[in-house]
Amino acid sequence: MTDTGQAAACQNDSSPGSQHKAAAGTPLFALGQVLATPGALELLETHQLTALPFVLRHVSGDWGDICAEDRQANADALQYGYRLMSVYELSKTERLWIITEADRSSTTLLLPEEY
């Protein structure tokens, strides 16, 4: 996950066995200030969704629709304090990204094109 674009480039590995299963509601890290870009807010509104379920999935280690390489990068990030990233597919062409900074000062919901 050294390049954030990698999540979009590597093939999705969303098979049941590939997903990290954390206890529901158990935070694995600090979110810091939670922010959302205008595009992310518009996407959520378009689909009549709220940010909270996605943030809760992210903080509990459900990284969504990312490949095995990015899952491993997130596992390393939890251990060593690197940036964390989740990708949630809302439709075949729309994805919501959530990125928590390495220093855990902020977590941002954004669209891939807003990165």
Side-chain angles (χ1 to χ4, degrees):
M1 193 171 63
T2 55
D3 173 25
T4 303
Q6 184 176 8
C10 62
Q11 192 166 0
N12 180 4
D13 181 16
S14 60
S15 61
S18 69
Q19 294 192 5
H20 178 273
K21 298 293 182 186
T26 304
L28 300 177
F29 54 92
L31 292 169
Q33 184 177 11
V34 178
L35 309 164
T37 64
L41 293 172
E42 183 178 340
L43 178 66
L44 290 168
E45 185 176 327
T46 296
H47 289 274
Q48 298 180 343
L49 299 168
T50 63
L52 185 60
F54 296 102
V55 172
L56 292 175
R57 287 176 64 185
H58 176 71
V59 77
S60 67
D62 174 355
W63 314 121
D65 303 301
I66 62 174
C67 64
E69 184 178 338
D70 285 340
R71 287 184 194 288
Q72 184 58 53
N74 278 350
D76 294 343
L78 286 172
Q79 185 173 0
Y80 301 111
Y82 305 139
R83 184 185 64 182
L84 293 151
M85 180 177 181
S86 293
V87 177
Y88 303 104
E89 187 176 302
L90 301 186
S91 74
K92 290 186 182 217
T93 60
E94 299 169 308
R95 287 177 174 68
L96 176 67
W97 283 7
I98 302 181
I99 298 174
T100 298
E101 297 303 326
D103 65 2
R104 308 298 187 250
S105 63
S106 65
T107 295
T108 305
L109 289 81
L110 68 158
L111 304 181
E113 58 269 23
E114 293 177 311
Y115 184 76

